[in-house]
Amino acid sequence: MTLAESARPDSAARPADPRRLAALVLLCAANFMVILDAQSVIMGVPVIAADLGLSPVEAQWVLSANLLTFGGLLLLGGRAADLLGRRKLFMAGTALFLLVSLLSAVATAGPLLLAARSLHGVSAALMAPTALAILTDTFPEGRPRNRALAIWSGIAALGATIGLLLGGALLDWFGWQSLFYVNVPVAVLMLVLSPVLLRESRDTSAHRTFDVAGAVLSTAALVLLVYVLVEAPAWGWASFRTLGLGAVFLVLTATTIVVERRSAAPLLPARLFRSATVLGGNVLTVLIAMLAFGSSVVLSQYSLGVLGYTPIVFGLSQSAMPVAAVLGAYAGQAALARLGIRPVAVTALLLMAVGSALLTGLSPDSGYLTSVLPGLVVFGLGLGIGPVVLAAAALKGVTTADAGIASGINVAAFQVGGALGVAVVSTVIATTMAATPGPAGALAGFHTGMLVCAGIGAAGVVVAFFLLKNAKRGQLAAVPRVH
């Protein structure tokens, strides 16, 4: 058996499941709801804080508590799905998502809401990587999986904008509790349909035990990293607290590597990172997420703060981006089959860099059609292409046994990249505004923020060119299958 054959996922050898299109709709619905919830709650934080009497720090933790548990538990959730069963863990995450949505909706005090949002992150850490792992197992590598990933990415892009529109409408008409109640019927439907549409899959290899030490260390490292990224803009990047916790993170990471190398059944198998394609896909996912979240910070603060847009108007003004992202996702999967990973990844990052550069000219006097729309469309095309090609790269050659942890790594890369993008861009904006007070400083801060995004995109082009150099059409790097 050749290396390429041994690297081929088990799903490639099975006949196509006739339910797989319906299963894809269900999996995309789960991804859609996770993103919809996150975006709509962002819109609702000011109203929630006023109603529950939350301080500015407590209000921030309505978002950060979810981000912390979501990002910190992704790897553990992915590996647990591999060992215990992906459908089982997906349904457990969905059931928890239903419960915490109800708890959030009936919360009458800040601590209860913050506890519910922390548990929401746990549910998302079970749902998101498990759904992607089930998709990987259901659709064989190549054109079928690329098309499925294109739909997955396109639905995610729509969820981001619909979250802004729906969140604004629900807040205006029914109050902030409706942001959580809307999740309930969808979660119930997913629980009913999952046993019917989703096939159970798990790691059938000999090692059916948890790597407890690796799980604890890697989870602690991820939680600490996300926490530092969330708080660093307020603490200061050069503060003792930021640098001290950063050093602790490095120690935890180094210890995790040593423990994983010695483990008989590691949480993070080294074989996953022997492929430059898999490694490159995850590194570039971090950069794509930095661009996506960083640009969102600039555009939302500029539109709501400088232009005075209402949430609904802001959502409508940004709608061109997800529409372009849907088109980009489908174009990306078609180009992926013809050109291979590296050219498509370079194109995606280049489009996002150019789109960011076009948006550096924002000003209150700018016309939407001439100064804003072109940048949103170009950026959106790259945003649609990027996740498709990078998910394909990050899951290339991954066996069925490792589908959950590989998906968890990729989703974790996106979450960490998002937190890093928000932290970096927020710091740049604040620093620039402090150096130049007044309206001119605010505008300069937003311009500099988009310029940083353009620089991240340009750096991503270079990284993609070198890290994905072996990911050619018909000659993609393989991951050895080792049990």
Side-chain angles (χ1 to χ4, degrees):
M1 181 180 290
T2 66
L3 180 63
E5 289 171 337
S6 67
R8 188 174 57 223
D10 296 343
S11 59
R14 291 199 303 259
D17 189 335
R19 300 168 299 175
R20 66 181 187 176
L21 292 181
L24 177 61
V25 173
L26 177 63
L27 296 172
C28 287
N31 193 35
F32 178 85
M33 290 308 298
V34 169
I35 294 172
L36 182 75
D37 178 271
Q39 289 293 94
S40 61
V41 171
I42 289 173
M43 303 295 297
V45 165
V47 179
I48 293 171
D51 189 41
L52 298 182
L54 303 180
S55 69
V57 173
E58 291 172 330
Q60 176 196 345
W61 276 100
V62 173
L63 303 175
S64 299
N66 172 68
L67 179 63
L68 200 62
T69 51
F70 185 17
L73 297 174
L74 278 166
L75 298 185
L76 188 58
R79 180 47 93 193
D82 285 336
L83 297 179
L84 300 178
R86 299 183 184 102
R87 185 179 68 184
K88 183 186 300 181
L89 263 290
F90 175 78
M91 292 182 65
T94 303
L96 183 58
F97 180 74
L98 169 62
L99 175 62
V100 297
S101 294
L102 286 171
L103 288 176
S104 299
V106 301
T108 56
L112 180 59
L113 180 62
L114 295 181
R117 294 307 294 167
S118 297
L119 286 174
H120 179 273
V122 177
S123 73
L126 293 175
M127 290 172 66
T130 307
L132 185 56
I134 295 173
L135 183 152
T136 302
D137 181 65
T138 303
F139 292 86
E141 199 169 273
R143 188 182 295 272
R145 185 182 297 174
N146 294 341
R147 286 177 175 172
L149 289 172
I151 296 172
W152 172 275
S153 299
I155 292 296
L158 285 176
T161 294
I162 292 176
L164 297 175
L165 294 172
L166 181 62
L170 290 174
L171 282 169
D172 288 342
W173 298 339
F174 302 110
W176 63 266
Q177 292 86 351
S178 62
L179 300 177
F180 304 107
Y181 278 128
V182 74
N183 298 332
V184 173
V186 180
V188 170
L189 187 61
M190 288 194 296
L191 282 174
V192 171
L193 293 178
S194 290
V196 179
L197 299 178
L198 302 181
R199 179 171 51 196
E200 183 61 282
S201 63
R202 59 169 57 88
D203 180 359
T204 57
S205 67
H207 299 296
R208 292 294 308 279
T209 58
F210 280 109
D211 173 20
V212 177
V216 171
L217 288 169
S218 62
T219 299
L222 264 180
V223 168
L224 185 60
L225 175 59
V226 174
Y227 178 66
V228 171
L229 292 177
V230 167
E231 296 291 349
W235 295 341
W237 288 94
S239 68
F240 176 79
R241 187 181 300 182
T242 299
L243 295 178
L245 290 178
V248 174
F249 163 73
L250 293 176
V251 171
L252 282 173
T253 301
T255 306
T256 301
I257 292 172
V258 172
V259 169
E260 292 296 273
R261 284 182 174 177
R262 296 179 177 179
S263 174
L267 177 72
L268 294 171
R271 59 184 176 270
L272 290 178
F273 301 101
R274 293 179 187 143
S275 164
T277 304
V278 173
L279 178 62
N282 285 300
V283 170
L284 291 166
T285 294
V286 172
L287 297 181
I288 285 277
M290 288 182 68
L291 279 164
F293 282 79
S295 65
S296 178
V297 168
V298 176
L299 293 172
S300 61
Q301 290 189 15
Y302 172 77
S303 299
L304 299 173
V306 175
L307 299 181
Y309 285 176
T310 64
I312 294 179
V313 171
F314 170 64
L316 288 172
S317 72
Q318 300 301 300
S319 60
M321 184 187 295
V323 171
V326 172
L327 296 176
Y330 283 98
Q333 66 89 14
L336 191 57
R338 293 176 177 272
L339 303 175
I341 288 177
R342 184 167 74 164
V344 183
V346 167
T347 300
L349 286 152
L350 185 60
L351 285 170
M352 295 181 78
V354 172
S356 299
L358 291 173
L359 290 169
T360 57
L362 291 172
S363 75
D365 300 325
S366 300
Y368 178 80
L369 293 178
T370 57
S371 300
V372 179
L373 184 61
L376 292 177
V377 170
V378 173
F379 190 95
L381 288 171
L383 184 58
I385 296 171
V388 176
V389 65
L390 296 180
L395 299 172
K396 176 62 187 174
V398 172
T399 66
T400 299
D402 290 329
I405 187 60
S407 299
I409 291 169
N410 190 241
V411 179
F414 193 84
Q415 289 299 311
V416 169
L420 184 58
V422 170
V424 169
V425 172
S426 297
T427 301
V428 167
I429 292 174
T431 302
T432 306
M433 291 174 67
T436 310
L443 201 56
F446 297 131
H447 289 169
T448 306
M450 288 310 304
L451 191 61
V452 167
C453 289
I456 293 171
V461 170
V462 176
V463 172
F465 186 82
F466 287 102
L467 271 185
L468 301 178
K469 63 181 179 180
N470 293 323
K472 300 176 182 178
R473 179 164 51 93
Q475 189 183 353
L476 293 168
V479 180
R481 184 172 183 172
V482 181
H483 290 313

